[in-house]
Amino acid sequence: MTISFDWLKTLFPTTLPADQVAALLTGSGLEVESLEDLESIPGGLRGVVLGTVLTCERHPDADKLSLTTVAVGDDTPRQIVCGAPNVAAGQRVVVALEGATLHPSQGEPFKIKKSKIRGAASEGMICAEDEIGLGQSHAGIMVLDTDLPDGTPAAEYFGLGSDTIIEIGLTPNRADAASHYGVARELRALLGQPAHLPDVSAFAALEKNSFLDETMKSLNEEAGSFPTVSVTIEDDQACPRYAGLLLDNVRVGPSPEWLQRRLRSIGLSPINNVVDVTNFVLHELGQPLHAFDADQITGAAIRVKRAAAGEKFVTLDGVERTLLADDLVIADAHGAPMALAGVFGGKTSGVHDTTTRVFLESAYFAPAVVRRTSQAHGLKTDASFRFERGTDPYMVPTALQRAALLLQEVAGACIAAPVVDVFPHAIPNNQVRLRLDRVARLIGQEIGEERIREILTGLGIQIEQQTGQEWLLAVPPYKVDVTREADVIEEILRIYGFNNVALRPHNSASFLSPFPNPDPEVIRQKVASLLSGQGFSEIITNSLTNSQYFEKADAPVESLVRILNYNSQDLNVMRPALLHSGLEVVRHNLNRRQRDLKLYEFGRTYQRTAAGKYQEKTVLGLWLTGAATAETWQHPSQKATFHDAAGAVQQVLAALGHAQPAPQPTQHSYLAGGLALLVQNQPVGNVGAVSPQVLKRLDVSQPVWYAELDWDWLLKKYKASLVARELPKFPEVRRDLSLVVDKAVTFEQLRTIAQKTEKKLLQGLNVFDVYEGDRLEAGKKSYSVSFTLQDPSQTLTDQAIDQVMQRLIQQFEKQAGALIRK
């Protein structure tokens, strides 16, 4: 949520700087994520002041330069060399002092330095409007007509206010703080100073002097317009309160500069004065409003009702939507929908450039109703964000009056009918009993009755009754998350300050938590360090993802874990695999010209079984794309290959005590070929190239190698022990064989045959060449394999070596159909 500090100070006047206010808000639970200075023009005219030209003489060494002395508000007038043709003694001018940085309308910023111009010292600059970014003219210096004293900041003279933008990470339970006034209420509780609602006292006079007399009513009737708009609530559980106001003589057009500046400061684009006022009031008071073109309200009647299932409705964005029976709509006298209540307006009933009569809506809708409609139609708006979390039903009339006064100011609006406010059943305060001893027990420290009373008063919570150490509290409806005693105590602690709760000198616990052995976190850090040392970067991605990555619209996947109340169509399921989340990171980097990536993530995946149960497991994922090694003057860059991915996986498995996984070809749903890795005959991972179909679906423009490991299983089977052996005293021997086999025979099959045939002397084997070509018959390939033999107890003789090699040859011929090339 974005808050303008300058705007906030109109509701909560304070002399505290923005960073101190941000620290207070963060300490109370409204975490400030960032502070950003916002200036009307770059630089804010810092170091630029008003001055008076005391003297002006011709420069002795330059015909077009003048030598001036200028008073700038201190005891030392500045000597400034000026080249403007219109400079003269007695003028009030704009002076950039030494050290100021100017941002001209065109060109790069530059800093004012003390210098010599044609031999004369110059200690500043008398400015033209383009030199300080206020215009395009460079015909001469700016000559002011003002009585402000010398030294007055130029920003003050030109009305260039600066602002600080506060970005708050608003949690879903803090709907009461989803506005500038909501933040002002928070500061009221923290600092014990009053927060001020906007003054709407002038509304009564506006209503009295408006077009409500009998003469005007008769003129309205003669013109064919309706003197008022009636309101009927057909479902008061879904809409407990609905208020409206009919305005006439509205002139739709651009908003004044101050209103546009306010909206832009919080990231909104101005649209027109009517829509801008509704947005302004929403962000100021937290109460959404909607403006209808009153001439489009058929029958001059508003009906708040449920939609007919299957009914068609075109929203403001021009999309035709099929309504559900659960949708609450704002309809006209004939029942035709004009807006989705609390979510989005309709295309035909909205305000247009030709609108002159506006019906202004201010209402309170049940959060669950708005949430269902918002989710069902995939519509997320500023209004639905607040309604579905809970707004203040008693802010409805205030917001309506505030908007009416603003529309009178910026659009010339007049009231054409009295306020209609349908509120069939008052919404009571929530009553909560608070035990003071419970406060001390949960917080761990005595706070004191008087301080508790001050905090509750600042939070707007009334004490209705006191019985000894037990208080009966009335919590206002806008505090939607405060319903129990524990919630009230949490509110007290937030304002009192977590940092003010002292730690005991000797903290202790009544139990010792068991420590797993081996510690999963230690093992994870070990593997993370290993991968980081190989140039991989760790990523953390969202556990929510897009169901369209895994299914087509006409073929739902039952194993997906779906989110019932998702905030975005792009995040509507729990991820069944890490692959796609990582590919989103790859895509993000590729779009920013970062093409060489090595990434890894420890993350959870989620699936629904055929029995309806849910499975959750931890997976280690690795992604490689682009170059595996950077280009240097000694070596060209090399593209990442399967062996780079497989090698990284091998090192991870070796670090976990599984140095010899058994690979076998696999058909993986997301990979183009690849290998499955088995440990103890248990599949523990896959490695291969991501299929082109998956890459295309995620708009990834270059090949990606991917590996995933079952982290949960590998943790259970982790082997921490190391076996130390004495270095062998006797030499090892290498022998090579060239074996011609069918193309279907893999090296892993040959390795298995060799290891089963000779378990004592065979220390290792390696394939150093593979040949397929016209020198072999069709369907054949040749492996060149080296065998390392060693006896730890004696030097191998030629006879023993030949016997081993002969046994290996026999088994290769028998089990693999190999032909030994000699």
Side-chain angles (χ1 to χ4, degrees):
M1 182 184 68
T2 306
I3 295 294
S4 159
F5 188 52
D6 191 47
W7 190 350
L8 178 63
K9 288 191 289 186
T10 65
L11 305 171
F12 186 83
T14 180
T15 58
L16 292 177
D19 57 345
Q20 290 188 28
V21 170
L24 286 170
L25 293 174
T26 298
S28 71
L30 294 181
E31 183 180 359
V32 174
E33 296 178 338
S34 66
L35 289 173
E36 181 181 350
D37 291 331
L38 182 67
E39 297 168 331
S40 301
I41 62 172
L45 296 186
R46 284 187 290 274
V48 182
V49 299
L50 304 190
T52 301
V53 180
L54 300 177
T55 65
C56 180
E57 300 174 353
R58 183 76 63 188
H59 192 293
D61 295 326
D63 292 340
K64 295 184 178 181
L65 297 179
S66 299
L67 196 59
T68 67
T69 56
V70 183
V72 292
D74 55 19
D75 296 333
T76 308
R78 305 297 196 273
Q79 177 173 295
I80 298 176
V81 176
C82 181
N86 63 328
V87 63
Q91 291 174 335
R92 302 301 309 282
V93 292
V94 178
V95 182
L97 301 176
E98 181 183 349
T101 298
L102 300 187
H103 297 257
S105 300
Q106 295 182 350
E108 296 297 319
F110 60 94
K111 190 173 183 178
I112 301 299
K113 300 178 181 179
K114 186 175 181 179
S115 61
K116 281 192 175 184
I117 301 177
R118 293 292 184 92
S122 185
E123 303 171 311
M125 186 173 80
I126 305 175
C127 302
E129 65 177 44
D130 68 324
E131 291 168 333
I132 56 176
L134 290 179
Q136 300 298 324
S137 174
H138 195 67
I141 60 170
M142 301 178 72
V143 179
L144 310 179
D145 181 12
T146 178
D147 295 328
L148 290 173
D150 295 333
T152 300
E156 181 180 327
Y157 171 79
F158 290 110
L160 301 178
S162 61
D163 197 359
T164 301
I165 303 307
I166 304 173
E167 198 67 39
I168 296 177
L170 195 68
T171 52
N173 64 313
R174 292 305 308 277
D176 61 300
S179 65
H180 285 75
Y181 183 64
V183 176
R185 283 189 303 218
E186 188 81 356
L187 292 173
R188 176 186 67 190
L190 288 165
L191 297 173
Q193 300 169 10
H196 305 289
L197 278 168
D199 183 10
V200 294
S201 59
F203 180 80
L206 174 64
E207 194 172 28
K208 182 178 180 181
N209 298 326
S210 62
F211 300 106
L212 297 178
D213 55 78
E214 293 300 323
T215 303
M216 195 63 203
K217 286 184 181 179
S218 63
L219 290 174
N220 285 338
E221 290 168 356
E222 290 174 7
S225 59
F226 295 92
T228 187
V229 174
S230 65
V231 173
T232 304
I233 299 177
E234 299 182 12
D235 187 342
D236 60 10
Q237 295 298 311
C239 177
R241 187 173 193 176
Y242 190 99
L245 179 64
L246 184 62
L247 301 172
D248 205 347
N249 282 4
V250 177
R251 296 186 297 275
V252 178
S255 297
E257 178 58 32
W258 71 264
L259 181 52
Q260 293 192 36
R261 188 169 62 249
R262 281 280 190 252
L263 295 178
R264 288 194 185 101
S265 71
I266 58 172
L268 297 182
S269 298
I271 299 173
N272 61 53
N273 48 8
V274 176
V275 175
D276 291 351
V277 163
T278 61
N279 286 332
F280 177 88
V281 173
L282 180 149
H283 287 275
E284 182 178 59
L285 301 179
Q287 172 61 45
L289 303 174
H290 187 68
F292 295 96
D293 186 331
D295 292 330
Q296 301 299 321
I297 304 176
T298 305
I302 291 285
R303 294 171 58 191
V304 186
K305 59 185 284 291
R306 298 283 185 170
E311 192 172 10
K312 303 296 183 181
F313 175 58
V314 180
T315 47
L316 270 173
D317 55 1
V319 176
E320 183 179 77
R321 304 180 188 275
T322 303
L323 302 185
L324 308 174
D326 277 344
D327 292 335
L328 188 70
V329 297
I330 311 302
D332 61 20
H334 298 158
M338 298 187 297
L340 286 171
V343 180
F344 213 24
K347 187 173 181 63
T348 58
S349 63
V351 173
H352 305 281
D353 292 343
T354 57
T355 298
T356 58
R357 288 161 34 85
V358 169
F359 183 76
L360 201 58
E361 166 195 285
S362 181
Y364 174 74
F365 299 112
V369 173
V370 175
R371 188 181 302 114
R372 279 196 296 268
T373 297
S374 174
Q375 299 289 355
H377 297 286
L379 289 170
K380 294 295 177 183
T381 61
D382 284 340
S384 68
F385 175 86
R386 286 157 178 82
F387 276 130
E388 65 187 44
R389 286 162 174 78
T391 57
D392 183 0
Y394 294 98
M395 188 62 75
V396 167
T398 303
L400 197 62
Q401 294 169 12
R402 173 67 164 158
L405 290 171
L406 288 172
L407 286 172
Q408 179 200 30
E409 177 185 344
V410 304
C414 300
I415 296 178
V419 171
V420 179
D421 190 356
V422 182
F423 195 12
H425 308 291
I427 298 176
N429 292 329
N430 182 34
Q431 290 193 329
V432 177
R433 293 193 176 276
L434 178 68
R435 293 164 290 178
L436 299 185
D437 60 337
R438 182 77 170 168
V439 175
R441 189 152 68 90
L442 288 184
I443 292 178
Q445 180 171 309
E446 291 284 349
I447 294 180
E449 284 190 27
E450 195 55 38
R451 181 64 180 128
I452 293 174
R453 191 187 306 275
E454 290 175 1
I455 291 173
L456 293 176
T457 301
L459 290 168
I461 299 174
Q462 301 174 5
I463 303 173
E464 290 190 340
Q465 182 182 329
Q466 291 183 238
T467 306
Q469 292 292 297
E470 187 173 296
W471 294 356
L472 181 63
L473 307 178
V475 180
Y478 64 79
K479 285 200 164 292
V480 294
D481 66 325
V482 182
T483 59
R484 306 167 300 162
E485 181 182 47
D487 299 331
V488 174
I489 296 173
E490 181 185 358
E491 290 290 285
I492 293 171
L493 179 56
R494 279 196 316 103
I495 303 304
Y496 179 72
F498 294 96
N499 292 337
N500 293 327
V501 178
L503 293 176
R504 297 175 181 175
H506 303 288
N507 288 322
S508 62
S510 58
F511 71 99
L512 287 176
S513 177
F515 290 90
N517 186 24
D519 189 335
E521 190 60 32
V522 172
I523 301 172
R524 174 171 168 168
Q525 288 298 325
K526 174 183 177 181
V527 172
S529 297
L530 171 68
L531 290 171
S532 297
Q534 295 181 32
F536 282 80
S537 298
E538 185 172 10
I539 60 174
I540 301 175
T541 60
N542 200 336
S543 294
L544 302 178
T545 190
N546 193 334
S547 61
Q548 293 180 2
Y549 292 159
F550 312 98
E551 63 184 3
K552 297 180 180 178
D554 57 348
V557 176
E558 297 300 327
S559 62
L560 292 179
V561 179
R562 303 183 186 276
I563 304 300
L564 298 180
N565 293 320
Y566 54 82
N567 287 325
S568 168
Q569 187 70 35
D570 294 334
L571 302 172
N572 61 350
V573 296
M574 304 292 284
R575 63 185 176 196
L578 282 187
L579 171 64
H580 302 79
S581 301
L583 289 177
E584 289 178 337
V585 177
V586 171
R587 179 183 63 201
H588 178 87
N589 281 272
L590 292 179
N591 291 341
R592 287 153 182 81
R593 305 182 67 83
Q594 300 296 315
R595 301 191 175 280
D596 304 327
L597 302 170
K598 299 170 74 174
L599 310 172
Y600 72 95
E601 179 180 12
F602 296 91
R604 293 185 179 277
T605 61
Y606 311 84
Q607 287 191 330
R608 190 170 183 266
T609 66
K613 297 183 178 181
Y614 296 98
Q615 287 183 342
E616 179 179 344
K617 68 177 183 178
T618 305
V619 175
L620 170 60
L622 293 86
W623 297 260
L624 290 88
T625 186
T629 58
E631 183 180 22
T632 69
W633 66 274
Q634 292 177 309
H635 302 287
S637 65
Q638 296 181 344
K639 293 292 185 183
T641 66
F642 169 83
H643 299 287
D644 294 309
V649 171
Q650 288 274 20
Q651 291 199 43
V652 169
L653 292 174
L656 297 173
H658 306 290
Q660 295 292 331
Q664 66 179 30
T666 183
Q667 295 297 321
H668 194 280
S669 55
Y670 304 137
L671 302 180
L675 294 177
L677 303 176
L678 282 72
V679 174
Q680 300 175 13
N681 292 322
Q682 169 70 29
V684 298
N686 296 282
V687 58
V690 180
S691 71
Q693 294 82 2
V694 173
L695 294 177
K696 182 178 180 181
R697 179 171 289 189
L698 277 98
D699 197 24
V700 175
S701 57
Q702 67 184 39
V704 178
W705 298 98
Y706 174 67
E708 63 181 16
L709 294 172
D710 186 342
W711 185 251
D712 288 334
W713 190 91
L714 290 171
L715 276 182
K716 291 179 183 177
K717 302 297 182 179
Y718 174 68
K719 297 179 180 179
S721 59
L722 296 175
V723 178
R725 294 189 179 93
E726 184 182 3
L727 290 174
K729 298 178 181 179
F730 303 98
E732 62 183 29
V733 176
R734 168 175 166 163
R735 290 289 186 271
D736 297 342
L737 288 179
S738 182
L739 299 94
V740 178
V741 295
D742 292 338
K743 282 189 176 182
V745 176
T746 66
F747 173 68
E748 185 59 30
Q749 291 175 280
L750 298 179
R751 182 204 298 273
T752 302
I753 294 171
Q755 289 176 338
K756 288 182 177 179
T757 301
E758 179 53 56
K759 297 180 180 180
K760 179 182 178 183
L761 301 182
L762 182 62
Q763 302 299 318
L765 68 162
N766 180 53
V767 59
F768 60 88
D769 187 38
V770 179
Y771 174 76
E772 296 180 38
D774 53 8
R775 287 185 289 176
L776 296 176
E777 62 180 283
K780 298 290 185 178
K781 63 181 175 182
S782 171
Y783 284 115
S784 296
V785 183
S786 65
F787 300 84
T788 302
L789 306 177
Q790 187 177 43
D791 190 333
S793 61
Q794 61 182 350
T795 299
L796 287 173
T797 63
D798 289 341
Q799 182 180 1
I801 295 170
D802 291 341
Q803 289 175 351
V804 170
M805 296 306 299
Q806 192 60 40
R807 287 199 303 272
L808 289 173
I809 290 172
Q810 290 174 355
Q811 293 303 316
F812 287 144
E813 292 174 337
K814 179 180 179 181
Q815 298 185 41
L819 173 66
I820 310 302
R821 300 179 67 188
K822 300 179 180 178

